[in-house]
């Protein structure tokens, strides 16, 4: 992996496939913190949550739509289709230091049953 954008993409793809421990081992630095409001802010808690999500939803679809890199920040817009709930648009923002993820933000928006915007979410 030559760029932080490639590292962030591989991190998400590994985690989505159920390999969050490998993703953290390869790409997460120390110290690490995240800002997901539903989990404690440490890396281990998030890694286990990602692992459990992959087990609970083995057939979910995860597709990266676009990725942007600006200095030490990478932003990735993705589409997630869980097995038995509406698809979602998800945005991850990664902060890198020395080619390792040291901070992570993620935001999600479920697709409404009736979409008013003719351009869609993706």
């Amino acid at each position: 992996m030559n760029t932080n954008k490639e590292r962030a993409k591989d991190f998400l793809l590994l985690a989505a496939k159920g390999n969050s421990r490998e993703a953290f081992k390869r790409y997460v630095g120390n110290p690490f913190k995240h800002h997901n409001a539903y989990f404690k802010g440490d890396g281990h808690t998030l890694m286990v949550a990602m692992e459990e999500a992959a087990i609970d939803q083995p057939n979910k679809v995860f597709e990266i739509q676009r990725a942007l890199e600006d200095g030490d920040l990478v932003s990735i817009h993705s589409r997630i289709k869980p097995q038995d709930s509406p698809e979602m648009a998800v945005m991850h923002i990664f902060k890198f230091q020395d080619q390792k993820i040291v901070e992570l933000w993620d935001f999600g928006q479920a697709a409404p049953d009736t979409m008013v915007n003719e351009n869609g979410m993706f």
Side-chain angles (χ1 to χ4, degrees):
M1 302 284 142
N2 294 323
T3 68
N4 287 337
K5 182 167 66 171
E6 292 171 324
R7 290 178 190 93
K9 288 167 72 172
D10 197 46
F11 173 86
L12 290 177
L13 291 170
L14 282 167
K17 292 177 187 172
N19 298 318
S20 64
R21 290 180 189 268
E22 182 63 26
F24 272 74
K25 180 180 169 185
R26 283 187 198 177
Y27 299 114
V28 172
N30 187 14
F32 169 81
K33 63 181 175 179
H34 72 88
H35 302 273
N36 186 309
Y38 298 100
F39 305 103
K40 288 180 63 177
D42 64 283
H44 181 77
T45 299
L46 184 63
M47 178 186 69
V48 170
M50 291 174 147
E51 188 174 62
E52 290 172 354
I55 291 168
D56 290 344
Q57 295 281 323
N59 297 317
K60 93 176 154 210
V61 175
F62 175 80
E63 298 171 341
I64 293 173
Q65 302 296 300
R66 51 199 54 81
L68 308 167
E69 184 171 357
D70 183 18
D72 63 354
L73 298 174
V74 173
S75 178
I76 298 182
H77 175 220
S78 304
R79 175 188 297 217
I80 297 176
K81 176 60 177 108
Q83 290 168 211
D84 47 5
S85 57
E87 76 177 344
M88 295 184 67
V90 179
M91 180 70 81
H92 289 87
I93 301 171
F94 298 86
K95 182 176 181 182
F96 281 82
Q97 183 177 349
D98 299 324
Q99 302 179 348
K100 295 287 187 179
I101 302 164
V102 294
E103 197 162 3
L104 173 62
W105 297 261
D106 63 314
F107 313 93
Q109 179 182 6
D113 291 334
T114 303
M115 185 131 357
V116 175
N117 188 316
E118 69 278 8
N119 299 314
M121 296 173 63
F122 306 100

